[in-house]
Amino acid sequence: MGSTSDIYTLLRLYGKKQHRTQISVEEFCNYLIKYAQHYVTEQPDLAKYTKTPRESLLQELDGLANTNKVILKEEDGNPIIVISAYFKENVNARYKQMATNPSVPFPIPTDLPKD
């Protein structure tokens, strides 16, 4: 698997891996440090995330929030990232399953995640 330095792509992949649409900024910062340290030789743009990525990350998240790719909110004083593409990707995957297998039921509101 190749590496990327695009924060939005990393967020989507991390959300999919964790099976969650809401991720705390601190949790993603920890992941980003490890990811950047591992792939910094392939992607020099990741160098700014190897030590303290919080400030750079918050700036990029503000830009993503302005373009409605993510939603930033606070929960108990901790910033939370809501990845809206997570829902779209799950719905698209479900419709692909329905197209190839007619026994897959049509999604109902209770199939949506609780968060």
Side-chain angles (χ1 to χ4, degrees), residues 27-48:
E27 175 185 352
F28 189 68
C29 278
N30 292 336
Y31 167 76
L32 192 55
I33 290 170
K34 291 176 187 175
Y35 182 88
Q37 289 172 345
H38 188 267
Y39 290 108
V40 73
T41 55
E42 293 176 27
Q43 294 288 330
D45 295 344
L46 293 171
K48 62 184 174 185

Side-chain angles (χ1 to χ4, degrees), residues 41-80:
T41 55
E42 293 176 27
Q43 294 288 330
D45 295 344
L46 293 171
K48 62 184 174 185
Y49 301 118
T50 56
K51 302 277 188 233
T52 54
R54 186 175 173 90
E55 293 305 316
S56 300
L57 177 63
L58 288 175
Q59 289 175 356
E60 291 202 37
L61 289 175
D62 284 338
L64 291 173
N66 289 338
T67 58
N68 296 321
K69 291 185 176 182
V70 299
I71 300 167
L72 296 177
K73 67 178 195 172
E74 276 201 32
E75 203 170 272
D76 298 328
N78 298 321
I80 303 290

Side-chain angles (χ1 to χ4, degrees), residues 2 7 12-13 20-21 30 34-35 40-41 57 71 77-78 85 90 96 104 108 115:
I7 292 298
R12 285 185 22 241
L13 293 173
R20 293 185 314 191
T21 184
N30 292 336
K34 291 176 187 175
Y35 182 88
V40 73
T41 55
L57 177 63
I71 300 167
N78 298 321
N90 282 347
K96 284 180 185 177
V104 174
I108 56 175
D115 59 357

Side-chain angles (χ1 to χ4, degrees), residues 107-114:
I108 56 175
T110 56
D111 291 340
L112 292 174
K114 302 294 183 248

